[in-house]
Amino acid sequence: LAQFEKKARAEGKHNFRVIQPDASGDEWIGVSGREVYVPVLYAWPSTIGTIGFDMSFSPIRMESKLKSAETGEGVASGVFDLMQGGKVSSGQMAFAISQAVLDLHASALAKAGKQAVKGYLAAVIPIPPLFAQALSLANLAQCDLIAVDLTANDGKFIYSSIHPSTGKLDKTSTPQDTDITQTLEVAGRKWNLTLRPKSTFFAGYFHYFSYLVLVIGIL
């Protein structure tokens, strides 16, 4: 760990230090108590300020990284509270797609039929911007948009336009007969996207239907 920090400082990251959230989850402290650390060495955009953050404190983040190391493919994580601007919790939900970088020339491991992981590339994707266009189309159709991670199987929304202001995951409500649902695969995970008609959708439908009945009656 000391060698890693020293190397990072030699690259121009003068105050580089590997850190993790404290027990309260509100502050940062130096890492301790684990055999393996996965700190962020490079980050873009740099203004997000994730350099030095150790990802191994988070089972949600590490699950996808370890699976990528096994499969050699990019793997999506579950949803987590985004760390940015030096904050442990920004209140904005996100997920990551991680790709393990393998050292194919590690001779001892290669002889054993294994590959050494040199590190990980990860794209962190905030949830609200991801669904912005889909939400706009749903609103035009007078529907709510709901996304659920079936792989997580925790009964929580990835995203819900019904409770957009909370910024947190909410328990799913009972599926309705009028729901229109599509299952998608997102880098190894299964997501359900649901369009749920709003009350205004039905109000408009019955308003139109009443005029139709009136016209037929007059005829």
Coordinates of all heavy atoms in Angstrom, one line a residue, residues 63-75 98-102 120:
E63 N -18.4 -6.9 -6.4 CA -19.0 -8.1 -7.0 C -18.8 -8.1 -8.5 O -18.4 -9.1 -9.1 CB -20.5 -8.1 -6.6 CG -21.2 -9.3 -7.3 CD -22.7 -9.3 -7.0 OE1 -23.2 -8.3 -6.6 OE2 -23.3 -10.4 -7.2
S64 N -19.1 -6.9 -9.1 CA -19.0 -6.9 -10.6 C -17.5 -6.9 -11.1 O -17.2 -7.5 -12.1 CB -19.6 -5.6 -11.1 OG -19.0 -4.4 -10.5
K65 N -16.6 -6.4 -10.3 CA -15.2 -6.4 -10.6 C -14.6 -7.8 -10.6 O -13.9 -8.3 -11.5 CB -14.4 -5.5 -9.7 CG -14.8 -4.0 -9.8 CD -13.9 -3.1 -8.9 CE -14.4 -1.7 -8.9 NZ -14.5 -1.1 -10.2
L66 N -15.0 -8.5 -9.5 CA -14.5 -9.9 -9.4 C -15.1 -10.8 -10.4 O -14.4 -11.7 -10.9 CB -14.8 -10.4 -8.0 CG -14.1 -9.7 -6.8 CD1 -14.6 -10.2 -5.5 CD2 -12.6 -9.8 -6.9
K67 N -16.3 -10.6 -10.8 CA -17.0 -11.4 -11.9 C -16.3 -11.1 -13.2 O -16.1 -12.0 -14.0 CB -18.5 -11.1 -11.9 CG -19.2 -12.0 -12.9 CD -20.7 -11.9 -12.8 CE -21.4 -12.8 -13.7 NZ -22.9 -12.7 -13.6
S68 N -15.9 -9.8 -13.4 CA -15.2 -9.5 -14.7 C -13.9 -10.2 -14.7 O -13.4 -10.6 -15.8 CB -15.1 -8.0 -14.8 OG -14.3 -7.6 -15.9
A69 N -13.2 -10.3 -13.6 CA -11.9 -11.0 -13.5 C -12.1 -12.5 -13.9 O -11.2 -13.1 -14.5 CB -11.3 -10.8 -12.1
E70 N -13.2 -13.0 -13.5 CA -13.5 -14.5 -13.8 C -13.8 -14.7 -15.3 O -13.4 -15.6 -15.9 CB -14.6 -15.0 -12.9 CG -14.3 -15.0 -11.4 CD -15.5 -15.5 -10.6 OE1 -16.5 -15.8 -11.2 OE2 -15.4 -15.6 -9.4
T71 N -14.6 -13.8 -15.8 CA -15.2 -14.0 -17.2 C -14.3 -13.3 -18.2 O -14.4 -13.7 -19.4 CB -16.6 -13.5 -17.3 OG1 -16.6 -12.1 -17.0 CG2 -17.5 -14.2 -16.2
G72 N -13.6 -12.2 -17.9 CA -12.9 -11.5 -18.8 C -13.7 -10.5 -19.6 O -13.3 -9.9 -20.6
E73 N -15.0 -10.3 -19.2 CA -15.9 -9.5 -19.9 C -16.4 -8.3 -19.0 O -16.2 -8.4 -17.8 CB -17.2 -10.3 -20.3 CG -16.9 -11.4 -21.3 CD -18.1 -12.2 -21.6 OE1 -19.2 -11.9 -21.0 OE2 -18.1 -13.0 -22.5
G74 N -16.9 -7.3 -19.6 CA -17.4 -6.1 -18.8 C -18.7 -6.6 -18.1 O -19.6 -7.2 -18.6
V75 N -18.8 -6.2 -16.8 CA -19.9 -6.6 -15.9 C -20.5 -5.4 -15.2 O -19.7 -4.6 -14.7 CB -19.5 -7.7 -14.9 CG1 -20.6 -8.1 -14.0 CG2 -18.9 -8.9 -15.6
S98 N -17.7 -2.6 -15.0 CA -16.2 -2.8 -14.8 C -15.7 -3.8 -15.8 O -16.3 -4.8 -16.1 CB -16.0 -3.2 -13.4 OG -16.3 -2.2 -12.4
Q99 N -14.4 -3.6 -16.2 CA -13.7 -4.5 -17.1 C -12.4 -4.8 -16.4 O -11.6 -3.9 -16.2 CB -13.5 -3.9 -18.5 CG -12.6 -4.7 -19.4 CD -13.2 -6.1 -19.7 OE1 -14.3 -6.1 -20.3 NE2 -12.6 -7.2 -19.4
A100 N -12.1 -6.0 -16.1 CA -10.8 -6.4 -15.5 C -9.7 -6.3 -16.6 O -9.9 -6.6 -17.8 CB -10.9 -7.8 -15.0
V101 N -8.6 -5.7 -16.2 CA -7.4 -5.7 -17.1 C -6.5 -6.8 -16.7 O -6.0 -6.8 -15.5 CB -6.7 -4.3 -17.0 CG1 -5.5 -4.2 -17.9 CG2 -7.6 -3.2 -17.3
L102 N -6.2 -7.7 -17.5 CA -5.5 -8.9 -17.2 C -4.0 -8.9 -17.7 O -3.8 -8.4 -18.8 CB -6.2 -10.2 -17.8 CG -7.6 -10.3 -17.4 CD1 -8.2 -11.5 -18.2 CD2 -7.8 -10.5 -15.9
Y120 N -8.6 -2.5 -13.0 CA -9.9 -2.5 -13.6 C -10.2 -1.1 -14.2 O -9.7 -0.1 -13.7 CB -11.0 -2.7 -12.5 CG -10.9 -4.0 -11.7 CD1 -10.2 -4.0 -10.5 CD2 -11.5 -5.1 -12.2 CE1 -10.1 -5.2 -9.8 CE2 -11.4 -6.3 -11.5 CZ -10.7 -6.4 -10.3 OH -10.6 -7.5 -9.6

